[in-house]
Amino acid sequence: MMDQHRDSSWSSPIRKSARGPGGQRLLDMPDLCGFRREIPAPAPLPQVVKARVRERSRADDVEMEVVRLRKRLETVESRCAAHSLEIHTLTPEPYRLKKPIPVLVRSHDDEFLASFMDANINISGETEAEAFSGIKTLIVDVWESLREISLTAPLGNELAARLAILGEYIDGPA
């Protein structure tokens, strides 16, 4: 039974303190993990500073590599970008155009490749301007050659189709 409290017994506990095996107080907080945990001592400041410097150095290296790769990607993309252009005149040749000829100019193996895709006519040049100028000349040469051949002998399917496509764009002499 519980002790009765009197004015003089306020300082004494209501229950008697019980002790378990080994003299441990039963009212103590239980040790949930089976051992007393000790807080580790903080790392010495020089070690912390060295670790932070290494982390920052690695972060700086990664950032510099990202910047380098971004510049490289921009260079590659600018070289690989294709430009759609149109031929509006075949001057100085004596031919008129019925409609502009679409030409695709793109970088290819340290050169530029100009293509008239519909007629499968392609030419390369050291610069974009050289490739563009070269395709104008090549289109006229192919047009003239196919017209000459078609007057003397029948063309195969592929060459006849190419001549028909060129005929949609090129009119006779001006």
Side-chain angles (χ1 to χ4, degrees):
M1 240 197 190
M2 293 180 45
D3 291 340
Q4 291 187 353
H5 287 288
R6 294 181 284 257
D7 288 335
S8 63
S9 66
W10 281 104
S11 61
S12 62
I14 297 177
R15 281 189 251 169
K16 298 218 183 227
S17 172
R19 300 225 175 240
Q24 182 184 9
R25 289 186 59 182
L26 295 177
L27 296 177
D28 281 348
M29 284 295 291
D31 184 8
L32 300 176
C33 297
F35 62 92
R36 294 266 181 214
R37 213 167 181 198
E38 292 184 21
I39 299 173
L45 189 58
Q47 287 179 349
V48 172
V49 170
K50 284 181 187 177
R52 297 287 176 166
V53 167
R54 278 193 311 267
E55 288 174 13
R56 185 64 190 154
S57 177
R58 276 188 244 137
D60 288 344
D61 291 346
V62 168
E63 186 176 346
M64 287 172 47
E65 183 68 10
V66 167
V67 168
R68 187 184 69 76
L69 289 173
R70 183 177 291 143
K71 286 180 182 177
R72 185 173 175 199
L73 179 63
E74 288 172 358
T75 302
V76 168
E77 285 177 341
S78 70
R79 288 182 181 170
C80 292
H83 304 284
S84 293
L85 303 172
E86 291 182 338
I87 298 173
H88 292 277
T89 180
L90 294 174
T91 305
E93 300 298 330
Y95 299 108
R96 289 182 301 228
L97 290 178
K98 296 176 185 177
K99 58 184 178 180
I101 299 173
V103 174
L104 188 68
V105 179
R106 60 186 165 88
S107 175
H108 181 72
D109 294 335
D110 296 331
E111 292 185 325
F112 290 90
L113 182 66
S115 303
F116 175 31
M117 302 295 242
D118 293 346
N120 194 21
I121 298 175
N122 307 290
I123 193 166
S124 64
E126 290 184 18
T127 64
E128 288 181 52
E130 185 179 306
F132 187 72
S133 175
I135 200 155
K136 287 173 68 172
T137 304
L138 185 58
I139 288 171
V140 170
D141 290 346
V142 170
W143 164 254
E144 288 175 343
S145 297
L146 290 177
R147 282 189 43 197
E148 269 183 43
I149 294 170
S150 70
L151 296 175
T152 59
L155 295 174
N157 292 339
E158 197 173 305
L159 293 177
R162 187 178 290 179
L163 181 60
I165 290 168
L166 289 171
E168 291 177 19
Y169 292 92
I170 302 173
D171 200 8

